[in-house]
Amino acid sequence: MALDPRPVIKAGSLTNLTDARYFASFGVEMIGFHFDPYAENYLPADLAAEIRDWLYGPRFVGEFRGVSKSDQALADFVSTVEKVKLEVVECTPEDLAVVKSNWEGPIILAL
């Protein structure tokens, strides 16, 4: 079986509908929202869910950091995945074991 030579393109850490629609119009395969509340490009789950409802085509990625740091961080992860209806999760190597225990879908490892 031959591998598809085309790269998979993900537009990450989006914070508004205008940017998300722009990238979706160019056919990017994935659109990511950053859910670390301490990050510069943090997007609340409610707003991400609202943006998601306006778009069709790309897969939606939740970009998470620090999921394994506390029970609250894990609860926020689970809640966000459900609220935004994420299709892919991106996490750091430090969070991989916890994410795999609480998510059955595809995972992108952020290095």
Side-chain angles (χ1 to χ4, degrees):
M1 173 201 303
L3 294 175
D4 188 345
R6 296 175 304 146
V8 173
I9 298 173
K10 174 187 165 255
S13 296
L14 300 182
T15 59
N16 61 71
L17 178 59
T18 301
D19 289 347
R21 290 180 73 184
Y22 173 82
F23 286 110
S25 74
F26 279 97
V28 298
E29 286 88 350
M30 297 181 189
I31 290 180
F33 304 116
H34 201 87
F35 296 112
D36 176 357
Y38 301 105
E40 180 180 335
N41 293 326
Y42 167 69
L43 188 67
D46 291 337
L47 184 52
E50 189 175 316
I51 291 171
R52 187 191 197 295
D53 288 344
W54 280 93
L55 299 174
Y56 295 98
R59 296 170 73 187
F60 294 89
V61 180
E63 301 166 353
F64 293 92
R65 308 293 181 268
V67 173
S68 60
K69 290 187 177 182
S70 69
D71 290 340
Q72 184 60 52
L74 177 56
D76 292 344
F77 166 77
V78 172
S79 171
T80 299
V81 166
E82 293 173 2
K83 184 179 287 185
V84 184
K85 299 179 183 124
L86 295 173
E87 298 162 288
V88 180
V89 166
E90 177 181 306
C91 70
T92 62
E94 296 80 22
D95 294 326
L96 184 58
V98 172
V99 168
K100 284 176 101 173
S101 297
N102 292 278
W103 170 256
E104 294 180 3
I107 298 172
I108 296 172
L109 195 56
L111 301 175

